[in-house]
Amino acid sequence: MGAVKKPQQQPGIARWRFALVAGLLCLLAVALIVHLAGLQVLPEQDKGYRFLQDQGRARTIRTEEIAAYRGSILDRNGELLAVSTPVQTIWANPQLLKEASADELRALASALGTPPTRLAKRLKKYRNKGFMYLHRHMTPERAGKVLALDLAGVYSKKEYRRFYPAGEVTAQLLGFTNIDDLGQEGLELAYEQSLAGEAGKRQVVKDLKGRTVQDLAVKQEARPGRDLQLTIDMRLQYLAYRELKKAVSENGAASGFMVILDTQSGDVLAMANQPSFNPNNRHGVKAAAMRNRALIDQFEPGSTIKPLTALAALETGRYQPHTRINTSPGYIRLPGKTLLDPVNYGEIDLTKVITKSSQVGITKVAMDLEPETLRGLFYRLGLGEAVGSGFPGEAPGILPTRDRWHPIELANFAFGYGLTVNAVQLAQAYSVVANAGLKRPVSLILEQGKKASSNGERVVESALALQVTAMLETVIGPGGTGKRAAVDGYRVAGKTGTVHKVGSEGYADNRYRSVFAGFVPADNPRLAAVVVIDDPSHAKYYGGEVAAPVFGKVMTGAMRLLQVPPEKVAPAEQQLATQLDERGTAS
């Protein structure tokens, strides 16, 4: 038998090797502790704890804007005309959202109310960006459904959206804001700085998905915008808008506008325009519908200027309301033009020249006046200069001055051609007559504490203004051109105007602008108003047929709304007017 072999013994680890490994491990632990101390304890260490904290904050702490509440716009009685409501805007980081699955994107598109293909195209377009809007101005309820999907890269922020309770009734006056709540038109634009306020700032902590997990501090409080209170009385505004819209429709007119002034304060109580638009939904709106024609459009006022020419004549002292003027044979020839009356009125007084709107009569008066006398009065009444409403684009009108006036130029000037006004200027001029010669500044913004009877500037003698008022009352009587402007139970003073519009080859024979200007009650004026109906296309086009009825209907309602007590209507001029049966009362 062979000998049995003994198993070999494994050599042990050398003691020095064990000590070396253990020492290295200890040194590594010490180095790690020193490094951690340098990172978290020692402030002066390069890239120490302060550096790391700053880097951490830079990756998690964000400064967000706090949207400022835009000031409201109110009428004189405190009724809201424009108000901002809170909404949610959904936005995304395309870099994160592109990781979403097809099912998640379809669910997102459904919650947003947009086709999935459209969402996919927009994500592709912004794939290299870090920000894109998904939907602006969503209601909190709809936005909640989007956020409930809990998709990485989808966020929301609070914004405000402007809402106009009166809709198209005040659209052109108020204007509107854009999607960023910045004023773009009208008073929203004119008072942008005051209405807008100032946005605030806050610091928040966000996680890796961009979600806010903690509010740290408000760095700057948002300052809300200041409210703006207008002189507008929405009761009269609704009334004027309704009747104006009806008149434009019934007469097939291109447009129309109406202004109502408080004669005792100069406040604009109503300013209505047609056509209009809904400022809450401006999709497909035409630019022409956005124009505040009452202040921006300037037009030749036509025969509504004749009473002011009569006032200039009275100021010379050579004329009285009963001064006789011979209008025979019913026309007057001037170099280059023959001016006609509808019939031969014969010899009539100055009052009847206004009652019948005699072209011949007012021309003869104008030929007896110095041009600068006439122009000077018009300027004192407020024509040819802006009324200072502060409205963007307000037309100052044109009040010409010449070194030499040709007879036809002076005649045209005297009966409302060759000069332009806006509706507010014309209403202010009639307010001067209504106020017995006092001119008060026109205002769209309500001044707290302002007295309705605040003193104005005297620009015309009281007695002369009262004489013109008496003339204007006869226009509303049975023999005048403005019978349809009558207000049952009240004395009315006013004047019609039928103006030929300018075409490509001069004044058009078949295109007109129908105008009425007046005030009520005539003996104690409260309201002055101007109505303009542009380009009526149906059979009627005279100012007394088209514009005067609007004035009458609106003022009838206004007297009731303002609780102005009715008075007996029986001036001597109107009693005599019942005996007048002449044909052709066109202005």
Side-chain angles (χ1 to χ4, degrees):
M1 295 179 61
V4 178
K5 293 181 179 181
K6 294 181 180 181
Q8 294 181 353
Q9 293 183 350
Q10 295 293 327
I13 299 174
R15 186 169 297 188
W16 66 270
R17 290 181 178 178
F18 177 80
L20 178 62
V21 171
L24 289 174
L25 290 175
C26 290
L27 288 175
L28 182 61
V30 171
L32 181 61
I33 292 172
V34 171
H35 183 64
L36 289 175
L39 293 177
Q40 301 186 27
V41 178
L42 303 176
E44 302 303 327
Q45 183 73 21
D46 183 36
K47 295 186 178 179
Y49 77 88
R50 288 181 178 173
F51 169 80
L52 294 178
Q53 287 179 347
D54 291 341
Q55 291 297 308
R57 292 191 188 99
R59 287 164 172 77
T60 59
I61 297 178
R62 295 288 182 267
T63 299
E64 291 186 338
E65 182 180 278
I66 304 174
Y69 181 82
R70 189 176 181 86
S72 299
I73 302 179
L74 308 94
D75 86 333
R76 68 186 302 111
N77 299 313
E79 182 175 343
L80 282 173
L81 305 181
V83 61
S84 292
T85 56
V87 290
Q88 291 291 326
T89 285
I90 305 298
W91 64 278
N93 182 341
Q95 300 294 323
L96 299 176
L97 188 56
K98 66 183 180 182
E99 303 298 331
S101 67
D103 289 340
E104 288 175 327
L105 291 179
R106 279 193 294 270
L108 176 60
S110 176
L112 292 172
T114 188
T117 54
R118 183 179 179 186
L119 177 60
K121 289 180 180 179
R122 295 195 68 230
L123 286 174
K124 183 178 180 180
K125 179 180 178 181
Y126 290 93
R127 62 182 180 274
N128 296 322
K129 305 292 184 181
F131 176 90
M132 65 175 283
Y133 283 117
L134 292 177
H135 199 294
R136 301 290 302 270
H137 295 180
M138 295 185 77
T139 62
E141 293 77 12
R142 286 190 61 195
K145 294 179 181 179
V146 176
L147 298 176
L149 298 174
D150 197 26
L151 296 178
V154 177
Y155 317 103
S156 72
K157 67 175 181 177
K158 181 180 179 181
E159 291 185 320
Y160 290 97
R161 181 179 180 180
R162 206 63 160 165
F163 178 67
Y164 302 92
E168 62 183 35
V169 177
T170 56
Q172 295 88 352
L173 174 62
L174 300 183
F176 53 85
T177 61
N178 62 10
I179 198 167
D180 294 316
D181 214 21
L182 300 176
Q184 300 297 293
E185 294 285 347
L187 294 176
E188 291 275 29
L189 174 61
Y191 292 89
E192 166 65 22
Q193 188 173 2
S194 173
L195 289 167
E198 185 178 349
K201 296 178 181 179
R202 65 171 182 169
Q203 282 189 335
V204 297
V205 176
K206 293 194 173 186
D207 63 12
L208 292 177
K209 292 185 177 181
R211 296 172 298 193
T212 299
V213 296
Q214 183 183 0
D215 286 327
L216 292 181
V218 175
K219 305 295 290 184
Q220 178 181 321
E221 293 283 356
R223 180 181 62 80
R226 291 194 294 270
D227 291 345
L228 185 67
Q229 189 164 19
L230 307 184
T231 59
I232 298 296
D233 188 325
M234 278 307 298
R235 300 172 300 170
L236 301 187
Q237 181 74 13
Y238 277 116
L239 184 60
Y241 181 82
R242 183 188 69 192
E243 296 300 331
L244 183 67
K245 184 175 182 179
K246 182 180 178 182
V248 168
S249 175
E250 290 181 347
N251 292 283
S255 62
F257 42 96
M258 182 177 187
V259 173
I260 302 176
L261 295 185
D262 185 331
T263 60
Q264 299 176 3
S265 66
D267 289 349
V268 179
L269 299 182
M271 185 176 288
N273 292 269
Q274 272 293 308
S276 192
F277 68 100
N278 181 4
N280 300 307
N281 182 8
R282 300 190 296 277
H283 180 70
V285 174
K286 296 180 179 179
M290 299 181 182
R291 195 166 72 241
N292 186 5
R293 300 170 185 272
L295 270 169
I296 293 177
D297 283 14
Q298 49 188 358
F299 58 94
E300 292 178 310
S303 295
T304 57
I305 288 295
K306 290 177 181 176
L308 308 185
T309 299
L311 177 56
L314 294 176
E315 283 191 330
T316 66
R318 302 194 301 272
Y319 288 85
Q320 298 295 328
H322 52 77
T323 299
R324 308 295 290 181
I325 300 168
N326 187 4
T327 66
S328 294
Y331 60 86
I332 182 172
R333 289 193 176 94
L334 296 177
K337 184 77 172 182
T338 298
L339 303 174
L340 307 172
D341 279 338
V343 298
N344 181 5
Y345 294 123
E347 187 176 295
I348 56 177
D349 61 22
L350 183 59
T351 295
K352 192 172 179 182
V353 168
I354 301 303
T355 307
K356 289 299 182 180
S357 197
S358 170
Q359 209 87 314
V360 176
I362 207 70
T363 298
K364 288 194 171 184
V365 171
M367 293 299 102
D368 191 41
L369 299 177
E370 291 293 332
E372 286 307 312
T373 297
L374 194 56
R375 187 190 183 281
L377 173 66
F378 290 174
Y379 186 78
R380 277 186 280 136
L381 296 176
L383 307 186
E385 62 177 351
V387 297
S389 67
F391 193 89
E394 177 192 333
I398 299 174
L399 194 61
T401 182
R402 296 181 174 89
D403 294 332
R404 179 182 178 187
W405 291 72
H406 296 288
I408 189 60
E409 291 175 332
L410 181 56
N412 285 337
F413 193 59
F415 51 73
Y417 286 86
L419 72 157
T420 62
V421 301
N422 66 45
V424 178
Q425 287 175 320
L426 187 58
Q428 184 185 41
Y430 270 70
S431 289
V432 173
V433 178
N435 288 327
L438 288 178
K439 179 184 176 183
R440 296 190 172 100
V442 172
S443 178
L444 279 169
I445 309 303
L446 190 65
E447 298 178 24
Q448 299 297 334
K450 177 183 177 181
K451 295 181 179 179
S453 58
S454 59
N455 293 330
E457 175 190 3
R458 176 160 297 285
V459 295
V460 175
E461 290 185 19
S462 176
L464 301 182
L466 293 174
Q467 289 177 354
V468 174
T469 297
M471 294 180 185
L472 291 172
E473 283 192 77
T474 68
V475 176
I476 314 303
T481 61
K483 299 186 293 292
R484 293 177 177 84
V487 178
D488 189 28
Y490 300 88
R491 292 166 59 180
V492 178
K495 184 69 184 74
T496 58
T498 307
V499 188
H500 284 275
K501 295 192 66 175
V502 177
S504 58
E505 299 180 358
Y507 289 103
D509 292 332
N510 58 351
R511 297 186 63 195
Y512 302 91
R513 184 177 285 111
S514 305
V515 188
F516 185 88
F519 50 90
V520 62
D523 56 334
N524 186 22
R526 182 70 183 276
L527 301 178
V530 169
V531 180
V532 180
I533 306 295
D534 188 31
D535 213 2
S537 60
H538 296 168
K540 297 184 295 183
Y541 57 84
Y542 288 124
E545 296 176 311
V546 177
V550 178
F551 178 94
K553 293 174 183 177
V554 172
M555 290 299 121
T556 296
M559 292 296 100
R560 176 179 57 82
L561 290 171
L562 298 179
Q563 299 181 351
V564 178
E567 300 177 2
K568 187 176 181 180
V569 183
E573 293 86 354
Q574 290 192 5
Q575 295 178 6
L576 291 174
T578 59
Q579 304 173 13
L580 302 175
D581 58 357
E582 289 87 349
R583 296 178 293 107
T585 59
S587 60

